Amino acid sequence: VQDSFGWFTDAYRRLIEWAAVIERLSGFQTALEQAEQKSPSLQSHQTDLPHHSGKVVLQNLTVYTQTGSPLLTDIHLQARSPEWVLLEGRSGIGKSTLLRVLAGLWPYYHGSFSLEGSRLFFPQRPYLPTDTLRQTVSYPYSACQDDHLIQTVLKQVGLNSPTGRLHTLMNDLDTSYEWHGILSGGEQQRLSLARALLHKPQILFLDEATNQLDDESALMLMQTLKQHLP
């Protein structure tokens, strides 16, 4: 009996930790529900058209901060492949936030947009899971089983340099590594863009996806994308 009642004293620290985890998860779930229940002033309509060709249409799109202050207002845009569109402006005006809206990650907007065709989004800091090279370059889709194709796209983005960290790992596609600790910022961005060459989407959204590279390397990478994704 004494041992049984003593469990509460012995496990008190663990109980507090569990309670804190549950409280954080509960707060996270509440925040998600609140984001889905947007205020009426920010309600909008999004259409996802059939995937026939690369086409982007924005109509009367206004992007807000979380507090409801406008960032970018009344945006109209029509673009289709093979067009390349540059969104340029001073830092902090909401360029990255606009891309988050189009990716479905930012619910604070008003207006409508449609994305017709398969698409991939490439942020400044790419997501590289602690996983195999096969899974990492195939993200966010299922793992590509064509070893030659994976090695080809890695070479196309310049990751086959004898001095690069990835050169010795290109033939080892099925061993997990912590890529953020192995690759430099520029190499991480090259690996991320290899996904575009592997999956060949009809629409690419690039949010300064080469800002860790020198100008010459960035230009060569853009030319490679244009050449292989016409």
Side-chain angles (χ1 to χ4, degrees):
V1 172
Q2 182 178 5
D3 288 343
S4 298
F5 280 107
W7 180 88
F8 294 98
T9 303
D10 297 336
Y12 183 76
R13 182 188 297 272
R14 278 194 297 162
L15 290 173
I16 293 300
E17 291 174 352
W18 292 342
V21 170
I22 292 173
E23 185 175 354
R24 287 196 298 271
L25 290 175
S26 175
F28 182 59
Q29 180 65 36
T30 301
L32 287 177
E33 292 173 354
Q34 291 175 348
E36 291 174 356
Q37 299 170 356
K38 298 175 289 187
S39 64
S41 62
L42 301 184
Q43 285 291 342
S44 57
H45 175 64
Q46 172 184 349
T47 9
D48 202 2
L49 301 178
H51 293 184
H52 296 310
S53 63
K55 185 178 180 182
V56 179
V57 178
L58 280 60
Q59 296 179 330
N60 300 103
L61 189 65
T62 297
V63 181
Y64 297 90
T65 64
Q66 289 175 296
T67 59
S69 301
L71 281 172
L72 297 172
T73 59
D74 200 24
I75 306 171
H76 296 267
L77 170 68
Q78 289 194 30
R80 64 170 60 244
S81 58
E83 287 183 282
W84 284 69
V85 177
L86 173 66
L87 179 62
E88 191 174 27
R90 62 180 175 79
S91 177
I93 65 171
K95 303 185 296 296
S96 296
T97 307
L98 174 61
L99 295 188
R100 293 189 188 104
V101 169
L102 301 181
L105 301 176
W106 191 259
Y108 309 104
Y109 66 92
H110 177 79
S112 64
F113 66 89
S114 64
L115 308 177
E116 181 178 345
S118 57
R119 81 283 304 206
L120 282 177
F121 290 80
F122 294 93
Q124 299 177 28
R125 190 169 186 267
Y127 172 65
L128 302 179
T130 301
D131 210 329
T132 65
L133 184 54
R134 184 189 307 279
Q135 292 281 1
T136 301
V137 76
S138 300
Y139 179 86
Y141 301 107
S142 57
C144 174
Q145 299 303 318
D146 189 335
D147 293 7
H148 177 71
L149 178 58
I150 292 176
Q151 291 168 351
T152 297
V153 298
L154 292 175
K155 291 177 182 178
Q156 287 173 341
V157 297
L159 285 174
N160 61 327
S161 170
T163 60
R165 297 171 178 85
L166 202 60
H167 178 70
T168 57
L169 303 177
M170 286 184 60
N171 295 321
D172 184 12
L173 299 179
D174 296 304
T175 301
S176 292
Y177 293 97
E178 189 174 344
W179 299 108
H180 281 292
I182 294 177
L183 303 180
S184 67
E187 288 172 327
Q188 291 178 31
Q189 290 187 330
R190 289 178 186 270
L191 179 56
S192 174
L193 290 176
R195 295 166 175 165
L197 299 176
L198 182 66
H199 298 305
K200 299 187 183 302
Q202 293 163 316
I203 308 173
L204 277 178
F205 292 96
L206 306 173
D207 183 8
E208 297 186 41
T210 59
N211 65 348
Q212 296 291 320
L213 297 166
D214 60 90
D215 291 344
E216 182 179 356
S217 298
L219 179 59
M220 290 179 61
L221 199 52
M222 288 297 101
Q223 291 173 340
T224 298
L225 290 178
K226 287 188 176 184
Q227 176 185 353
H228 295 282
L229 302 176

